Amino acid sequence: MVSSSSEPYVVSGGEAAGREVKGEDALKALSAYLADDMTACNQAIIDRMQSSVPLIPQLGAHLVAAGGKRLRPLLTLASARLCGYGEKEGETRHIGLAACVEFIHTATLLHDDVVDESTLRRGMASANALFGNKASVLVGDFLFARSFQLMTADGSLEVMAILSAASATIAEGEVLQMSTQNDLSTPIERYLEVIHGKTAALFAAACRVGAVVAGHNRDAELALEQYGTSLGMAFQLVDDALDYAADQQVLGKTVGDDFREGKITLPVLAAYEQGTEEERQFWKRVIEDNEQTEADLPHALEIIARRDAIRITIERAREYVGQAVEALACFPESELKNLLRETVLYTVERAR
């Protein structure tokens, strides 16, 4: 298991030069290290969001303004660079594919917010809250279509196979989550299958296509795919913990959304499994029967804390963090490898 207390290191170039990098700073340093690539990627995103239908660029501008860490496209760019791609003039495939990954992700967010009836995204009003459900679904479809245009433009059947498979897996994960909603008998293994589908699959694909465009060997592809999978699993586990442990400003969405929607996440499963009969009856009423009052969320948070469910969830996330770090072992030591290593450690530090 990897501890987030590992020693910081010094970045030698770019905006982060001379600084010790750790935690969230590692993610900022990764962005700084890839600043030129990210600028090109962001421009590609803006260009591809243009349309003669005014509502599409309007909603797109809202999404761009909402920001976000752009972690998934960063992973594509970083993976390509780690494998030596992008150093020669004309090597730009990773830029288009990073934009493609972001379009896939953003399309799923638009659809998810409609399904979940969310009103906040990244601390701002969600697109569906501002533009309505119909516009959000249709613009999400537009972004999916744009992503497949970018895949086609890349011209690699292998890349298309990886990203299209990830898109299908995301949809399967969302449907599987819907089928487990309000069901406290859901095994932890099924919950992990859900988060692999809805989150980790795209992380894995984002990393793997970076190695593919670099023409690297199969071992490097699979190592980066494993890194992405493990990072994605840790990331979602921490997100699920934060829904019961963070304040709204930190979380960027309404705290307790998962609770109100009856979503089955590890904090709930852990609290239910270890709870008294009275506590289990509470969970059955609020989650399975979906009978909630205003006092129920604070009570749920008390039980979650009493049963140490957040720690249990974070410890499971740390296991995936360890797997992600191990997956990088086949690559020689470098500044970029260090940044990727510390970025995965940042995922669990978000819960502090």
Side-chain angles (χ1 to χ4, degrees):
M1 187 179 296
V2 176
S3 169
S4 61
S5 62
S6 59
E7 290 300 314
Y9 55 88
V10 177
V11 174
S12 59
E15 293 179 25
R19 292 197 297 107
E20 288 189 340
V21 179
K22 194 168 178 60
E24 187 171 10
D25 282 343
L27 187 57
K28 293 176 181 176
L30 181 62
S31 297
Y33 185 93
L34 298 167
D36 290 344
D37 284 350
M38 275 305 299
T39 297
C41 176
N42 286 332
Q43 188 59 52
I45 290 170
I46 292 169
D47 291 345
R48 289 287 184 158
M49 276 190 175
Q50 298 309 307
S51 169
S52 59
V53 179
L55 182 58
I56 292 174
Q58 287 173 15
L59 198 150
H62 170 74
L63 296 174
V64 171
K69 299 177 181 66
R70 294 271 199 268
L71 179 54
R72 292 154 187 83
L74 265 175
L75 291 174
T76 298
L77 299 173
S79 296
R81 290 283 185 177
L82 189 67
C83 294
Y85 185 83
E87 297 173 358
K88 299 176 183 177
E89 187 176 351
E91 289 185 332
T92 59
R93 290 176 63 194
H94 61 318
I95 303 297
L97 291 176
C100 174
V101 166
E102 182 65 10
F103 278 141
I104 293 171
H105 174 56
T106 305
T108 63
L109 293 186
L110 286 171
H111 291 166
D112 288 351
D113 284 346
V114 171
V115 171
D116 297 339
E117 299 180 354
S118 299
T119 58
L120 283 178
R121 170 65 64 179
R122 295 166 179 161
M124 296 176 59
S126 60
N128 55 300
L130 289 177
F131 297 91
N133 288 339
K134 292 179 182 179
S136 292
V137 169
L138 293 173
V139 173
D141 292 343
F142 172 84
L143 296 182
F144 263 129
R146 277 289 193 248
S147 73
F148 277 86
Q149 287 179 323
L150 286 163
M151 290 181 221
T152 303
D154 180 74
S156 167
L157 286 176
E158 185 177 5
V159 164
M160 182 172 285
I162 292 168
L163 292 175
S164 60
S167 299
T169 301
I170 293 167
E172 289 174 336
E174 294 293 348
V175 173
L176 184 58
Q177 182 176 60
M178 187 174 63
S179 69
T180 63
Q181 196 158 319
N182 307 108
D183 185 2
L184 288 165
S185 68
T186 301
I188 290 178
E189 292 72 20
R190 178 55 61 90
Y191 159 75
L192 295 175
E193 186 181 347
V194 167
I195 66 173
H196 175 269
K198 63 177 284 189
T199 301
L202 187 56
F203 275 73
C207 291
R208 185 168 182 176
V209 294
V212 171
V213 299
H216 233 55
N217 60 50
R218 181 80 168 173
D219 288 343
E221 281 185 40
L222 296 180
L224 283 167
E225 182 179 53
Q226 182 58 58
Y227 171 84
T229 297
S230 300
L231 171 58
M233 295 295 288
F235 190 91
Q236 188 59 56
L237 279 160
V238 172
D239 255 17
D240 290 349
L242 286 173
D243 198 69
Y244 289 93
D247 63 49
Q248 185 168 303
Q249 186 174 0
V250 171
L251 190 59
K253 62 179 183 179
T254 309
V255 172
D257 273 352
D258 291 349
F259 174 78
R260 283 180 282 270
E261 293 160 18
K263 285 184 179 177
I264 300 301
T265 60
L266 189 52
V268 170
L269 290 176
Y272 179 75
E273 182 179 320
Q274 299 182 76
T276 64
E277 182 57 32
E278 181 181 352
E279 289 170 352
R280 288 190 174 201
Q281 289 302 316
F282 166 80
W283 289 116
K284 286 179 179 178
R285 174 175 65 80
V286 297
I287 298 295
E288 290 195 335
D289 299 336
N290 200 28
E291 296 178 1
Q292 298 182 7
T293 68
E294 289 186 7
D296 286 333
L297 177 58
H299 186 52
L301 297 178
E302 290 174 8
I303 297 174
I304 292 279
R306 187 183 310 142
R307 298 303 165 198
D308 216 8
I310 299 301
R311 182 193 61 78
I312 291 169
T313 303
I314 299 303
E315 285 304 308
R316 180 63 69 100
R318 287 185 185 279
E319 293 175 14
Y320 286 108
V321 167
Q323 293 173 19
V325 171
E326 281 182 24
L328 295 173
C330 66
F331 296 97
E333 290 301 317
S334 67
E335 182 177 315
L336 182 53
K337 178 179 173 178
N338 283 339
L339 287 169
L340 286 170
R341 189 159 45 209
E342 289 296 326
T343 294
V344 75
L345 294 173
Y346 156 71
T347 63
V348 294
E349 291 189 354
R350 293 184 302 141
R352 289 186 169 186

